[in-house]
Amino acid sequence: MVIGKIIGNVWATRKDESLNGLKFMIAQLENGEKIVVCDYIGAGTGDMVLITKGSGARKVLENESIPIDAVTIGIIDGFEEGE
Amino acid sequence: MVIGKIIGNVWATRKDESLNGLKFMIAQLENGEKIVVCDYIGAGTGDMVLITKGSGARKVLENESIPIDAVTIGIIDGFEEGE
Amino acid sequence: MVIGKIIGNVWATRKDESLNGLKFMIAQLENGEKIVVCDYIGAGTGDMVLITKGSGARKVLENESIPIDAVTIGIIDGFEEGE
Amino acid sequence: MVIGKIIGNVWATRKDESLNGLKFMIAQLENGEKIVVCDYIGAGTGDMVLITKGSGARKVLENESIPIDAVTIGIIDGFEEGE
Amino acid sequence: MVIGKIIGNVWATRKDESLNGLKFMIAQLENGEKIVVCDYIGAGTGDMVLITKGSGARKVLENESIPIDAVTIGIIDGFEEGE
């Protein structure tokens, strides 16, 4: 998984029907890269989130045939980094 | 998912039969990388699109045994990035 | 697989229910990148671990529908690099 | 998918049995990276090809249990990039 | 697939049980990155090998539920790169 900061939202009226009702947010990853995640946890702009990518992302969906490849699986309360 | 700008088309007469009838476009990603996407949404050059990569890309197809790994799942109307 | 050094822990109270009881740690990879791994081996901060990413990560789980994409599969005793 | 230029061949006598009879070529991608592709289209050195990576690569095979992760799916006739 | 040079071995006594008996080697890829591969071909330090990554790696295993994501599928005799 990767840690990302939610920095905004993205809208697409013209999209695959199976995506209707899903919320798409922009997350900035630790290496600066920006990706789009499907938010399942109720994250908001500014939240630090835990993101799963690839086929694992569809495991949170009841219907695994929805074409997404990145999802928020948790809102991070804190992390501790020791040397 | 990633956000990309559609910057052109690509043609291949000699290709896997299962690809016949599919439309291939070049998308430039946020980090400058260029990839080829199968367009399912009717995107045109200049459109900003939402792209799913990997096995998720085949979920938009009726026949999941078509060998693609990147697809457009939405045309972006707008995005809002806050700090 | 990749080699990583466990450098800390991450907590998320608000998370996908299927993740309850799992331990999430931060691993720094050889190229400096930081990822989050689900620890199945009992690794601690400072341990060098062997990490599997992608769908393979869910093979260690009894329930493969848990949305993770990186897991520790071993604690490294040693490695030998010759030219 | 990605676009690559076929720049050579690679041979491996000692290999997984399921690979016997398959043709392996070196492709240089747009970002300079070199990967090995299984050629299914009859590409030759110098050809620009369309490459599928990951599990999608095995969709061109009759036997999907062959351990490959990159395949040529088309020989590119031309591409048009507009601003 | 990618080409890598085997530069060493890695040992992990404490590991997932399903990995017992498997041989783990360090491979340096063309771009300098070091990954760990499960060796199925009998490669030795100094050998140039062909590596499959991702879910394809588990296709060489009788038991596909072993949590690996990179495997050697061939020892390279030679490669020819033309312009």
Side-chain angles (χ1 to χ4, degrees):
Chain A
M1 290 65 70
V2 289
I3 294 178
K5 180 175 181 181
I6 297 291
I7 61 168
N9 295 279
V10 61
W11 297 278
T13 323
R14 223 155 108 198
K15 56 183 178 284
D16 190 84
E17 269 174 32
S18 67
L19 304 176
N20 288 339
L22 296 183
K23 187 176 141 200
F24 293 97
M25 308 192 87
I26 303 174
Q28 181 143 36
L29 306 189
E30 208 243 335
N31 60 8
E33 188 192 347
K34 290 179 189 173
I35 65 169
V36 175
V37 293
C38 185
D39 173 54
Y40 249 75
I41 294 291
T45 298
D47 278 337
M48 299 297 285
V49 290
L50 199 52
I51 298 165
T52 286
K53 292 165 73 174
S55 54
R58 293 187 294 283
K59 299 294 179 188
V60 300
L61 310 171
E62 263 132 48
N63 166 9
E64 280 194 46
S65 62
I66 293 179
I68 63 164
D69 65 18
V71 73
T72 55
I73 59 165
I75 297 179
I76 294 177
D77 310 326
F79 43 96
E80 168 215 77
E81 285 190 32
E83 262 318 295
Chain B
M1 291 65 71
V2 288
I3 294 178
K5 180 175 181 181
I6 298 291
I7 61 168
N9 295 278
V10 62
W11 297 279
T13 323
R14 223 156 107 199
K15 57 183 178 283
D16 190 84
E17 268 172 33
S18 66
L19 304 175
N20 288 338
L22 296 183
K23 187 176 141 199
F24 293 97
M25 308 192 87
I26 304 174
Q28 181 143 36
L29 307 189
E30 208 242 335
N31 61 7
E33 187 193 347
K34 290 178 190 173
I35 65 169
V36 174
V37 293
C38 186
D39 173 52
Y40 249 74
I41 294 290
T45 298
D47 278 337
M48 300 297 286
V49 290
L50 200 52
I51 298 165
T52 287
K53 292 165 75 174
S55 54
R58 293 188 293 285
K59 299 295 179 187
V60 301
L61 310 171
E62 263 132 48
N63 166 10
E64 280 195 45
S65 61
I66 292 179
I68 64 164
D69 65 19
V71 72
T72 55
I73 58 165
I75 297 179
I76 294 177
D77 311 326
F79 42 96
E80 167 216 75
E81 286 190 31
E83 264 317 296
Chain C
M1 289 66 71
V2 288
I3 294 178
K5 181 176 180 180
I6 299 290
I7 60 168
N9 296 279
V10 61
W11 297 278
T13 323
R14 223 156 109 197
K15 56 182 179 285
D16 190 85
E17 269 172 29
S18 66
L19 304 175
N20 288 338
L22 296 183
K23 187 177 141 198
F24 293 97
M25 308 192 86
I26 304 173
Q28 181 143 36
L29 307 188
E30 208 243 336
N31 60 7
E33 188 192 346
K34 290 178 189 172
I35 65 169
V36 175
V37 293
C38 186
D39 174 53
Y40 250 76
I41 295 291
T45 298
D47 278 336
M48 299 297 286
V49 290
L50 199 53
I51 297 165
T52 287
K53 292 165 75 173
S55 54
R58 294 188 292 284
K59 300 293 180 188
V60 301
L61 311 171
E62 263 131 48
N63 166 10
E64 280 194 46
S65 62
I66 293 179
I68 63 164
D69 64 20
V71 73
T72 55
I73 58 165
I75 298 179
I76 294 176
D77 310 326
F79 43 96
E80 167 217 75
E81 285 190 32
E83 262 317 297
Chain D
M1 291 66 69
V2 287
I3 293 177
K5 180 175 180 180
I6 298 290
I7 61 168
N9 295 279
V10 61
W11 296 279
T13 322
R14 223 155 108 198
K15 57 182 178 283
D16 189 84
E17 268 172 31
S18 65
L19 305 175
N20 288 339
L22 296 183
K23 187 176 142 201
F24 293 97
M25 308 191 88
I26 304 174
Q28 182 143 36
L29 307 188
E30 208 243 334
N31 60 7
E33 187 193 348
K34 290 179 189 173
I35 65 169
V36 175
V37 293
C38 185
D39 173 53
Y40 250 74
I41 295 291
T45 299
D47 278 337
M48 300 296 286
V49 290
L50 200 53
I51 297 166
T52 287
K53 291 165 75 175
S55 54
R58 292 188 293 284
K59 300 294 181 189
V60 300
L61 310 172
E62 264 133 46
N63 166 11
E64 280 195 45
S65 62
I66 293 179
I68 63 164
D69 64 20
V71 73
T72 55
I73 59 165
I75 297 178
I76 294 176
D77 310 326
F79 43 96
E80 168 216 75
E81 286 191 29
E83 264 316 297
Chain E
M1 289 66 71
V2 288
I3 294 179
K5 181 175 180 179
I6 298 290
I7 61 168
N9 295 280
V10 62
W11 297 278
T13 323
R14 223 156 108 197
K15 57 182 179 284
D16 190 84
E17 268 172 33
S18 65
L19 304 175
N20 288 339
L22 296 182
K23 187 177 142 201
F24 293 97
M25 308 192 87
I26 303 174
Q28 181 143 36
L29 308 188
E30 209 242 334
N31 60 9
E33 189 193 347
K34 291 178 189 173
I35 65 169
V36 175
V37 293
C38 185
D39 174 53
Y40 249 75
I41 295 292
T45 298
D47 278 337
M48 300 297 286
V49 291
L50 199 52
I51 297 164
T52 287
K53 291 164 77 174
S55 54
R58 293 188 293 283
K59 299 294 180 188
V60 300
L61 310 171
E62 263 132 48
N63 166 11
E64 281 196 44
S65 62
I66 293 179
I68 63 165
D69 65 20
V71 72
T72 55
I73 58 165
I75 298 179
I76 294 175
D77 310 326
F79 42 95
E80 168 215 75
E81 285 191 32
E83 262 316 295

